[in-house]
Amino acid sequence: MTDNRDSLDFRTEPVGRLFRRMFLPTLIGMVSMVILNITDGAFVGHGVGSDALAAVNIVAPLFLIMAGIGLMFGIGSSVVASIHMSKGNQHAADINLTQGILASLITGTIVGSLVFTFQEETCRLFGCSDLLLPQACSYLRWIAVLMPFNLFGMTAMFMVRLDGSPRFAMAMNCCVAMLNIILDYIFIYPMQMGLEGAAIATATAFTLGDIPIAIYLLRHTNTVHLYPIKLTRTSLILTLRNIVYQIKIGFSALLGELAIASVIIVGNYIFMRYLGEDGVAAYSVGCYCLPIVFMIGNAIVQSVQPIISFAYGVNDTTRLEKARSIALRTAILSGIIGMLFMAFGSDTISGIFLRTDCNAYQLCREGLLYYSPAFLFIAVNIVLIGYMQSIEATRPATVFTLMRGFMLSIPCFILLPLCAGIPGLWLAQPTAEAMTLAIILTTRKIY
């Protein structure tokens, strides 16, 4: 494991080189998860059917909730730790990282237990129809079991990268993705376990992937280390105070995922209302592709965050501006590539997930063209909000996150179909993201 460790000097190493050394392994790891996401959807769509794909989209908000909690504690603890490290207080950095991982594990256990207990109610809340309910519940229960393990892995990855081992984090993501794909094939095709087999494959892969991460944190860290939490009254009060501050910093990341989760839930309801189960299946393809831009955006944020937070901690405005500029240019380029791929590859993308002889395929290939601009606007918004988080500008980050989700996306989903018909269903999210970006650029000094 130690062979994967990089020596990262956040104080003096050129920002561009430092960003590349962080970003490339993180991006490769994220791309492996994108491939996992797409392959998983392809296996479900072709191996089980379009209704199963729609059922997965009903459960999809739960994945976003998990991601939001993991990012909240990961970003929160990592930002605080980076600032402490910039001031030479390694002890405080270690304590905050340990508290963040512990908090995410406890939160995942509580939320996962509640979802497992109220499976049917959760599916109904997410917009599930009677037809899709059995498959949705069979998928949901295993994802609920997965939650604490997934949250541990997500939060711990921030600590691994901050320790100077982005290549190890990349390797773990790639291994989990490969294992999940192999298990997907085995459980769905030879073993004929249907949608539940896909859920078991995901739960198994992520759980096994936590083992080497835990070993690394316990035995192989170099700069940062897990710190034993004391159980005295004073220590617990200080721990709670630190966790609350981490939540404050990372809360906009959770809100961002909750906002997208709410958009998917509302989208499920609206697509079901206008186009039925086939419409939800078509919409699910867009939702399967959406994590591509989210993961790339998050890769940029996770790579540049230690650089920005360290520069912010020592008040180095030159490095701060350089890191921000690199992150934005990377986001714009990635967003344009994703938008063009989605717009001109709609036939191919639809065929990956859906059989070409079903109605959902036709609905999907027509809708993705309208949906494609979301890739550009989402990528830029994620990076801008991530920058605000990295410099402890929690209030504007929270406001803009609420804006791109609850405040703009939901009204767009309700109103645009009334004005533009079926294309309005697909234009809702790109419109909300574009409006949010316009407001950020006109109200915040980016350069």
Side-chain angles (χ1 to χ4, degrees):
M1 291 185 187
T2 54
D3 291 339
N4 287 317
R5 182 176 292 121
D6 299 314
S7 177
L8 302 175
D9 184 353
F10 293 111
R11 189 181 298 274
T12 61
E13 187 170 348
V15 172
R17 185 169 66 187
L18 191 58
F19 174 74
R20 287 191 298 272
R21 293 177 66 189
M22 293 284 288
F23 178 61
L24 292 178
T26 304
L27 179 63
I28 293 172
M30 292 291 185
V31 167
S32 71
M33 302 310 290
V34 169
I35 294 172
L36 158 63
N37 196 59
I38 292 173
T39 306
D40 188 72
F43 279 141
V44 170
H46 288 275
V48 188
S50 60
D51 282 349
L53 201 62
V56 171
N57 207 56
I58 296 295
V59 180
L62 188 60
F63 284 102
L64 293 168
I65 293 170
M66 283 195 293
I69 296 172
L71 287 172
M72 178 178 68
F73 287 115
I75 290 174
S77 61
S78 184
V79 167
V80 175
S82 297
I83 293 173
H84 280 305
M85 289 170 65
S86 72
K87 298 177 180 179
N89 194 346
Q90 187 62 50
H91 178 69
D94 293 344
I95 290 175
N96 275 275
L97 289 168
T98 304
Q99 291 166 340
I101 291 175
L102 182 62
S104 69
L105 188 58
I106 293 173
T107 304
T109 302
I110 294 171
V111 176
S113 299
L114 289 172
V115 171
F116 187 87
T117 303
F118 301 101
Q119 297 172 31
E120 183 173 332
E121 292 82 356
T122 303
C123 290
R124 294 286 189 189
L125 177 66
F126 289 172
C128 191
S129 66
D130 291 335
L131 176 64
L132 300 178
L133 185 61
Q135 293 192 81
C137 285
S138 71
Y139 194 82
L140 180 75
R141 68 173 64 99
W142 286 99
I143 303 308
V145 172
L146 161 71
M147 184 171 288
F149 303 101
N150 194 16
L151 285 180
F152 167 79
M154 288 186 62
T155 310
M157 284 297 191
F158 281 86
M159 185 173 177
V160 170
R161 294 188 184 97
L162 194 58
D163 188 57
S165 296
R167 287 185 292 167
F168 175 72
M170 172 197 72
M172 289 301 97
N173 281 333
C174 292
C175 288
V176 168
M178 183 61 64
L179 179 59
N180 197 351
I181 290 171
I182 293 171
L183 293 177
D184 263 338
Y185 174 79
I186 294 172
F187 291 159
I188 291 177
Y189 286 100
M191 297 184 66
Q192 292 291 303
M193 294 176 65
L195 188 56
E196 188 170 22
I200 294 173
T202 300
T204 302
F206 276 89
T207 302
L208 292 177
D210 283 346
I211 296 174
I213 296 173
I215 294 173
Y216 177 92
L217 294 181
L218 290 170
R219 297 184 179 181
H220 298 281
T221 53
N222 181 40
T223 304
V224 298
H225 307 280
L226 291 175
Y227 188 87
I229 302 295
K230 298 179 181 179
L231 299 180
T232 63
R233 184 173 182 271
T234 302
S235 179
L236 291 176
I237 291 173
L238 292 174
T239 296
L240 182 61
R241 185 196 67 181
N242 288 344
I243 290 173
V244 169
Y245 187 58
Q246 292 173 19
I247 291 173
K248 180 181 177 181
I249 291 176
F251 187 63
S252 60
L254 172 61
L255 274 182
E257 300 299 321
L258 291 178
I260 300 303
S262 69
V263 169
I264 292 177
I265 293 171
V266 173
N268 285 334
Y269 276 106
I270 300 297
F271 271 87
M272 186 74 73
R273 175 183 173 185
Y274 282 87
L275 299 171
E277 282 81 6
D278 284 341
V280 176
Y283 176 54
S284 72
V285 175
C287 294
Y288 261 107
C289 293
L290 203 59
I292 297 174
V293 67
F294 272 101
M295 289 182 181
I296 293 174
N298 282 325
I300 296 171
V301 170
Q302 290 177 32
S303 302
V304 81
Q305 175 270 313
I307 306 171
I308 291 175
S309 295
F310 198 100
Y312 174 74
V314 297
N315 197 29
D316 189 337
T317 56
T318 300
R319 290 177 67 84
L320 194 67
E321 292 172 0
K322 179 69 173 177
R324 179 181 58 194
S325 176
I326 291 174
L328 275 175
R329 292 201 305 268
T330 306
I332 292 170
L333 178 61
S334 302
I336 290 174
I337 293 173
M339 178 179 67
L340 294 176
F341 178 73
M342 179 71 74
F344 293 102
S346 59
D347 288 0
T348 302
I349 295 169
S350 301
I352 289 173
F353 292 92
L354 296 162
R355 298 167 185 152
T356 55
D357 58 351
C358 68
N359 185 45
Y361 170 82
Q362 187 62 31
L363 294 172
C364 181
R365 61 183 294 273
E366 294 172 356
L368 289 182
L369 178 63
Y370 299 106
Y371 196 66
S372 60
F375 273 60
L376 173 59
F377 300 126
I378 289 174
V380 177
N381 285 338
I382 287 175
V383 170
L384 289 176
I385 292 173
Y387 170 75
M388 296 174 206
Q389 291 173 316
S390 299
I391 60 171
E392 299 183 292
T394 56
R395 182 172 296 179
T398 300
V399 170
F400 291 128
T401 300
L402 286 171
M403 194 172 292
R404 62 187 287 257
F406 306 102
M407 295 168 63
L408 293 177
S409 290
I410 293 176
C412 285
F413 248 120
I414 295 172
L415 296 175
L416 283 179
L418 299 177
C419 302
I422 300 304
L425 293 170
W426 298 95
L427 287 169
Q429 192 162 355
T431 301
E433 295 285 351
M435 293 170 66
T436 301
L437 178 58
I439 294 171
I440 292 176
L441 294 177
T442 54
T443 59
R444 298 287 296 182
K445 184 178 179 181
I446 305 303
Y447 287 102

